[in-house]
Amino acid sequence: MTEPSVRVRGLNREFGDRRVLTDLDIDIQPGEFVALLGHSGCGKSTLLRILAGIDAEIEGVVEVPQRRAVAFQSPRLMPWKRVWRNVVLGLPGRPDRDLAIRYLDEVGLGGHGGVWPKTLSGGEAQRVSLARALVREPELLLLDEPFGALDALTRAKAQRLVIDLWRQHGCAVLFVTHDVEESLLLADRVLVMDEGRIAHEVTVDLPRPRDVGDPTFVALRGRLLGWLGVRDASARPDTTPAS
Amino acid sequence: MTRADPLAPPGPPSAVRRVTVEPERRRSGLTLPRAVRRTIGPVAFLLAWYVASATGALPPDVLASPVDVVSQAVQLTADGELTSAILTSGQRALTGFLLGGSIAVALALVAGLFRLGEDLIDATVGMIRTIPWVGLIPLFIIWFGIDETPKIALVALAVSFPLYFNLYGGIRAVDAQLIEAGRVLGLGRVGLIRHVILPGAVPGALVGLRYALGSAWLALVFGETVNATEGIGYLMNTAREFFQTDVIVVCLVVYAILGLISDFIVRLLGRYLLSWRSSFDGT
Ligand SMILES: Nc1ncnc2c1ncn2[C@@H]1O[C@H](COP(=O)(O)OP(=O)(O)O)[C@@H](O)[C@H]1O
Ligand SMILES: [Mg+2]
């Protein structure tokens, strides 16, 4: 078995006297697409920020690849920099416009390099933020509810794009979401966070693109929703999982 | 059975009262263009002033007639007196502005970017600000004499407060999420300041700049009415001794125009520096 790309053991994080992550363990293999589910406020972003290296007030062992990149729920583009400059911001050396345009092309925005971020739609801005992450050639891509604010149509397109990009780049992905269906459409493995640790996990052994009507899909959805404490209204009785 | 079935569709609604939305008629008749309407007031004001002067209701030693003001302006310009006064005053304003501006920008950067700087500087500046700067004129005269220095110092002081507070506030108001994003992207301290914090503080800085320029002219007017031997203020003081209200009005108008020009320059600067923002507003 290869060395995992991410290895976390006994991770603790407290805010004041509130413990948000308790003895959390996680492994992510190189090139694996992992989705992280959990109720709002359960500590998903906290974990992601620790993996990104933004937050280091922790106890425990955290091993991550050197090259990491993040896309947040809001695109967080610098409004005073043209789109292409946003893409290559923070890279060493002179800003390389050709490089930026190449990665913008990958997300279908090659023609938008010269515009101001404020003129982009929400979906476009989020794609720029993806290009900005990918241009760093990350070994681990951290996505924190990147499509949470998009409408359903734009979202479906963005999900397909993420899968394409992931296949092309082969990086490990940790995709935080609160949408069960989204996690099952995208991930190799879905983790459910509860009470500060990874409480459950399922492996999704379905070929992509996945069909939300597939019986295995439906069964998995029911299981995940059960773990999250939500009744699956669309599940037929015969597929309701036993817990 | 009166118990309502929760799954049954709601019964027929009670009669709904409808109103008709009338299409708005374009008002016909006299509609003047906005620009014309907006000039009516000022023109009427000038006309009233002229009439009052011409009929003698407004004696010239109270306020000169607009015609006299214009001819006085022409004459003062022709003999070079006004031009040299404007140059002298403009130089004072500029020197004071640059001096106070540099100090304010330096202090705001240190206070905005470093925690230690904030602790040392911000409270101090806040304390000094509570002193009305006009009240410092006597002290400045004792310290700096009556030549150029006290006037420049007064302008510098007046400029520095609005600039300091707005730039400092602008730096502190930069979106923490953007700073975090910059850090994740690999920007170091210098990179963050250059690419995230300073550009983010520009809107605040421009507001400060506009206030600062307004204060600069105000400080100059105050400074120059106290013992000046040249400049617009001097021209005004001399005119006061001879009840030349026309000269005084000319000087006031000059002050106003100088203020308008500096405001215009800041606006141009803003349009250039904030083009990333206005592109959205379409202005
Ligand atoms: N900087 C902070 N200071 C104090 N509490 C925080 C901070 N960041 C997050 N928390 C708390 O930690 C918990 C987990 O937050 P978060 O990781 O953002 O949840 P989510 O799973 O919705 O992403 C929340 O209860 C939040 O209030
Ligand atoms: Mg979150």
Side-chain angles (χ1 to χ4, degrees):
Chain A
M1 190 157 175
T2 51
E3 274 289 291
S5 182
V6 173
R7 197 174 82 96
V8 174
R9 290 291 176 271
L11 175 61
N12 283 292
R13 175 65 165 107
E14 292 169 9
F15 292 107
D17 51 7
R18 201 169 151 237
R19 185 167 273 210
V20 174
L21 303 181
T22 52
D23 265 332
L24 183 139
D25 297 343
I26 238 186
D27 279 319
I28 299 176
Q29 303 304 321
E32 190 183 18
F33 197 127
V34 175
L36 182 62
L37 273 176
H39 285 287
S40 174
C42 76
K44 305 182 295 292
S45 297
T46 305
L47 174 62
L48 185 124
R49 286 160 49 85
I50 291 169
L51 297 181
I54 310 166
D55 180 0
E57 288 179 46
I58 52 167
E59 283 167 39
V61 179
V62 175
E63 292 167 10
V64 286
Q66 177 114 49
R67 287 203 311 274
R68 286 155 292 162
V70 187
F72 302 95
Q73 173 161 16
S74 65
R76 301 202 193 177
L77 304 175
M78 308 298 157
W80 43 82
K81 288 196 177 288
R82 306 236 176 221
V83 162
W84 76 266
R85 282 189 186 273
N86 262 288
V87 171
V88 290
L89 180 63
L91 291 181
R94 284 175 59 82
D96 181 348
R97 183 170 184 147
D98 292 338
L99 180 71
I101 299 295
R102 209 156 64 235
Y103 279 84
L104 282 170
D105 255 333
E106 280 197 22
V107 298
L109 291 172
H112 290 61
V115 308
W116 295 115
K118 287 226 165 155
T119 62
L120 299 175
S121 72
E124 288 168 342
Q126 205 50 268
R127 272 144 68 197
V128 172
S129 147
L130 271 180
R132 182 177 67 175
L134 289 172
V135 77
R136 278 139 241 275
E137 289 294 344
E139 294 153 298
L140 173 63
L141 179 60
L142 299 161
L143 304 172
D144 193 355
E145 306 195 21
F147 310 135
L150 302 185
D151 62 273
L153 268 180
T154 315
R155 191 172 181 152
K157 275 193 214 155
Q159 288 167 347
R160 236 169 296 145
L161 177 68
V162 159
I163 287 295
D164 287 346
L165 294 170
W166 166 65
R167 284 209 171 120
Q168 226 163 307
H169 290 266
C171 50
V173 176
L174 181 65
F175 188 102
V176 170
T177 176
H178 55 242
D179 183 333
V180 170
E181 207 153 86
E182 183 171 67
S183 73
L184 286 172
L185 279 172
L186 298 178
D188 296 322
R189 193 152 59 94
V190 180
L191 310 178
V192 179
M193 221 175 142
D194 193 24
E195 307 206 318
R197 52 160 63 88
I198 305 301
H200 312 273
E201 74 168 83
V202 288
T203 304
V204 190
D205 241 339
L206 290 168
R208 297 183 182 86
R210 290 171 182 160
D211 173 13
V212 292
D214 184 290
T216 319
F217 192 103
V218 173
L220 286 174
R221 180 175 59 200
R223 241 162 99 192
L224 288 171
L225 287 171
W227 284 332
L228 290 166
V230 185
R231 199 168 57 100
D232 187 353
S234 63
R236 282 158 287 149
D238 57 328
T239 56
T240 310
S243 63
Chain B
M1 285 281 275
T2 52
R3 208 168 63 94
D5 180 354
L7 293 180
S14 52
V16 175
R17 273 200 300 160
R18 282 185 309 205
V19 294
T20 311
V21 178
E22 296 284 350
E24 197 173 292
R25 290 256 158 66
R26 285 200 64 90
R27 262 163 298 175
S28 54
L30 186 72
T31 47
L32 287 169
R34 191 103 197 285
V36 173
R37 271 187 292 165
R38 286 179 59 85
T39 48
I40 290 175
V43 166
F45 175 80
L46 287 175
L47 209 62
W49 178 11
Y50 172 76
V51 170
S53 296
T55 55
L58 189 63
D61 53 352
V62 172
L63 193 63
S65 104
V67 181
D68 292 343
V69 170
V70 171
S71 71
Q72 187 62 259
V74 171
Q75 200 186 324
L76 283 172
T77 314
D79 63 18
E81 208 175 342
L82 190 63
T83 320
S84 84
I86 291 176
L87 284 180
T88 309
S89 293
Q91 201 176 356
R92 283 176 190 147
L94 190 66
T95 318
F97 176 79
L98 290 179
L99 184 70
S102 333
I103 294 172
V105 169
L107 288 178
L109 289 182
V110 175
L113 299 176
F114 306 101
R115 188 69 55 185
L116 178 68
E118 178 188 9
D119 293 343
L120 293 179
I121 294 171
D122 199 47
T124 319
V125 178
M127 181 190 74
I128 298 176
R129 183 181 60 158
T130 57
I131 303 169
W133 47 265
V134 183
L136 286 174
I137 294 177
L139 213 50
F140 276 18
I141 291 172
I142 294 174
W143 291 347
F144 304 124
I146 53 165
D147 58 357
E148 294 301 288
T149 321
K151 300 173 187 64
I152 291 171
L154 199 67
V155 173
L157 193 71
V159 161
S160 53
F161 288 113
L163 211 48
Y164 169 85
F165 283 107
N166 284 286
L167 181 53
Y168 170 75
I171 290 174
R172 278 301 151 96
V174 173
D175 188 350
Q177 291 205 331
L178 290 184
I179 296 178
E180 189 180 272
R183 200 171 287 146
V184 177
L185 293 173
L187 291 176
R189 206 184 163 82
V190 176
L192 275 181
I193 292 174
R194 182 167 150 218
H195 295 293
V196 185
I197 298 176
L198 290 186
V202 165
L206 282 172
V207 172
L209 189 60
R210 262 176 105 170
Y211 278 116
L213 282 168
S215 311
W217 293 115
L218 200 61
L220 194 71
V221 175
F222 279 119
E224 288 192 334
T225 42
V226 180
N227 55 58
T229 52
E230 49 183 338
I232 305 172
Y234 167 72
L235 212 57
M236 258 178 37
N237 271 354
T238 335
R240 186 195 64 208
E241 281 168 31
F242 300 103
F243 292 93
Q244 289 174 303
T245 51
D246 49 354
V247 177
I248 295 180
V249 172
V250 170
C251 290
L252 289 176
V253 170
V254 167
Y255 275 133
I257 290 174
L258 290 174
L260 281 178
I261 290 175
S262 52
D263 206 59
F264 179 69
I265 293 173
V266 178
R267 254 191 252 192
L268 279 187
L269 194 67
R271 196 169 299 174
Y272 169 72
L273 287 176
L274 299 181
S275 48
W276 53 269
R277 204 164 65 169
S278 53
S279 63
F280 192 57
D281 306 330
T283 51

mmCIF file of all heavy atoms in Angstrom, chain A residues 15 18 20 39-46, ligand 1:
data_model
loop_
_atom_site.group_PDB
_atom_site.id
_atom_site.type_symbol
_atom_site.label_atom_id
_atom_site.label_comp_id
_atom_site.label_asym_id
_atom_site.label_seq_id
_atom_site.Cartn_x
_atom_site.Cartn_y
_atom_site.Cartn_z
ATOM 1 N N PHE A 15 -11.665 25.986 20.578
ATOM 2 C CA PHE A 15 -11.852 27.440 20.570
ATOM 3 C C PHE A 15 -12.295 27.807 21.973
ATOM 4 O O PHE A 15 -13.402 27.477 22.377
ATOM 5 C CB PHE A 15 -12.906 27.863 19.555
ATOM 6 C CG PHE A 15 -12.475 27.654 18.134
ATOM 7 C CD1 PHE A 15 -13.012 26.631 17.368
ATOM 8 C CD2 PHE A 15 -11.522 28.483 17.552
ATOM 9 C CE1 PHE A 15 -12.616 26.434 16.064
ATOM 10 C CE2 PHE A 15 -11.123 28.286 16.240
ATOM 11 C CZ PHE A 15 -11.667 27.259 15.495
ATOM 12 N N ARG A 18 -14.258 25.333 24.074
ATOM 13 C CA ARG A 18 -15.112 24.511 23.231
ATOM 14 C C ARG A 18 -14.260 23.654 22.312
ATOM 15 O O ARG A 18 -13.474 24.164 21.529
ATOM 16 C CB ARG A 18 -16.011 25.421 22.396
ATOM 17 C CG ARG A 18 -17.166 24.642 21.957
ATOM 18 C CD ARG A 18 -18.313 25.311 21.349
ATOM 19 N NE ARG A 18 -18.830 24.267 20.476
ATOM 20 C CZ ARG A 18 -18.981 24.414 19.186
ATOM 21 N NH1 ARG A 18 -18.757 25.554 18.614
ATOM 22 N NH2 ARG A 18 -19.388 23.412 18.462
ATOM 23 N N VAL A 20 -13.761 21.568 19.216
ATOM 24 C CA VAL A 20 -14.449 21.383 17.940
ATOM 25 C C VAL A 20 -13.996 20.099 17.254
ATOM 26 O O VAL A 20 -14.805 19.358 16.705
ATOM 27 C CB VAL A 20 -14.213 22.604 17.032
ATOM 28 C CG1 VAL A 20 -14.790 22.355 15.661
ATOM 29 C CG2 VAL A 20 -14.858 23.848 17.646
ATOM 30 N N HIS A 39 -23.088 18.265 9.600
ATOM 31 C CA HIS A 39 -23.982 19.380 9.867
ATOM 32 C C HIS A 39 -23.201 20.680 9.898
ATOM 33 O O HIS A 39 -22.005 20.694 10.177
ATOM 34 C CB HIS A 39 -24.669 19.181 11.213
ATOM 35 C CG HIS A 39 -25.737 18.141 11.165
ATOM 36 N ND1 HIS A 39 -26.948 18.347 10.556
ATOM 37 C CD2 HIS A 39 -25.761 16.874 11.635
ATOM 38 C CE1 HIS A 39 -27.675 17.261 10.658
ATOM 39 N NE2 HIS A 39 -26.974 16.343 11.303
ATOM 40 N N SER A 40 -23.922 21.756 9.643
ATOM 41 C CA SER A 40 -23.293 23.068 9.729
ATOM 42 C C SER A 40 -22.761 23.274 11.148
ATOM 43 O O SER A 40 -23.435 22.971 12.118
ATOM 44 C CB SER A 40 -24.335 24.129 9.380
ATOM 45 O OG SER A 40 -23.804 25.388 9.595
ATOM 46 N N GLY A 41 -21.522 23.740 11.229
ATOM 47 C CA GLY A 41 -20.941 24.021 12.539
ATOM 48 C C GLY A 41 -20.277 22.830 13.196
ATOM 49 O O GLY A 41 -19.851 22.917 14.346
ATOM 50 N N CYS A 42 -20.168 21.699 12.480
ATOM 51 C CA CYS A 42 -19.587 20.519 13.109
ATOM 52 C C CYS A 42 -18.067 20.509 13.019
ATOM 53 O O CYS A 42 -17.416 19.637 13.579
ATOM 54 C CB CYS A 42 -20.157 19.251 12.506
ATOM 55 S SG CYS A 42 -19.487 18.865 10.883
ATOM 56 N N GLY A 43 -17.486 21.456 12.305
ATOM 57 C CA GLY A 43 -16.026 21.549 12.292
ATOM 58 C C GLY A 43 -15.373 21.191 10.967
ATOM 59 O O GLY A 43 -14.161 21.025 10.899
ATOM 60 N N LYS A 44 -16.160 21.134 9.886
ATOM 61 C CA LYS A 44 -15.586 20.776 8.582
ATOM 62 C C LYS A 44 -14.577 21.828 8.121
ATOM 63 O O LYS A 44 -13.449 21.494 7.731
ATOM 64 C CB LYS A 44 -16.702 20.656 7.535
ATOM 65 C CG LYS A 44 -17.808 19.685 7.902
ATOM 66 C CD LYS A 44 -18.846 19.566 6.815
ATOM 67 C CE LYS A 44 -19.644 20.833 6.546
ATOM 68 N NZ LYS A 44 -20.543 21.226 7.648
ATOM 69 N N SER A 45 -14.992 23.093 8.175
ATOM 70 C CA SER A 45 -14.079 24.149 7.735
ATOM 71 C C SER A 45 -12.857 24.225 8.630
ATOM 72 O O SER A 45 -11.753 24.502 8.162
ATOM 73 C CB SER A 45 -14.802 25.501 7.731
ATOM 74 O OG SER A 45 -15.854 25.476 6.818
ATOM 75 N N THR A 46 -13.063 23.985 9.907
ATOM 76 C CA THR A 46 -11.940 23.999 10.836
ATOM 77 C C THR A 46 -10.896 22.971 10.415
ATOM 78 O O THR A 46 -9.707 23.266 10.338
ATOM 79 C CB THR A 46 -12.438 23.712 12.261
ATOM 80 O OG1 THR A 46 -13.468 24.655 12.574
ATOM 81 C CG2 THR A 46 -11.323 23.817 13.256
HETATM 82 N N1 LIG C 1 -12.196 31.468 14.956
HETATM 83 C C1 LIG C 1 -13.126 30.845 15.700
HETATM 84 N N2 LIG C 1 -13.341 31.218 16.964
HETATM 85 C C2 LIG C 1 -14.271 30.605 17.735
HETATM 86 N N3 LIG C 1 -15.046 29.608 17.313
HETATM 87 C C3 LIG C 1 -14.885 29.169 16.052
HETATM 88 C C4 LIG C 1 -13.921 29.772 15.175
HETATM 89 N N4 LIG C 1 -13.977 29.147 13.991
HETATM 90 C C5 LIG C 1 -14.936 28.205 14.115
HETATM 91 N N5 LIG C 1 -15.469 28.213 15.347
HETATM 92 C C6 LIG C 1 -16.530 27.316 15.841
HETATM 93 O O1 LIG C 1 -16.189 26.003 15.522
HETATM 94 C C7 LIG C 1 -17.321 25.291 15.099
HETATM 95 C C8 LIG C 1 -17.056 24.638 13.776
HETATM 96 O O2 LIG C 1 -17.008 25.638 12.781
HETATM 97 P P1 LIG C 1 -16.755 25.272 11.261
HETATM 98 O O3 LIG C 1 -15.565 24.414 11.155
HETATM 99 O O4 LIG C 1 -16.727 26.542 10.501
HETATM 100 O O5 LIG C 1 -18.082 24.463 10.910
HETATM 101 P P2 LIG C 1 -18.574 23.903 9.509
HETATM 102 O O6 LIG C 1 -18.664 22.433 9.670
HETATM 103 O O7 LIG C 1 -19.934 24.473 9.288
HETATM 104 O O8 LIG C 1 -17.609 24.322 8.460
HETATM 105 C C9 LIG C 1 -18.474 26.252 15.070
HETATM 106 O O9 LIG C 1 -19.272 26.034 16.193
HETATM 107 C C10 LIG C 1 -17.819 27.605 15.156
HETATM 108 O O10 LIG C 1 -18.625 28.471 15.914
#
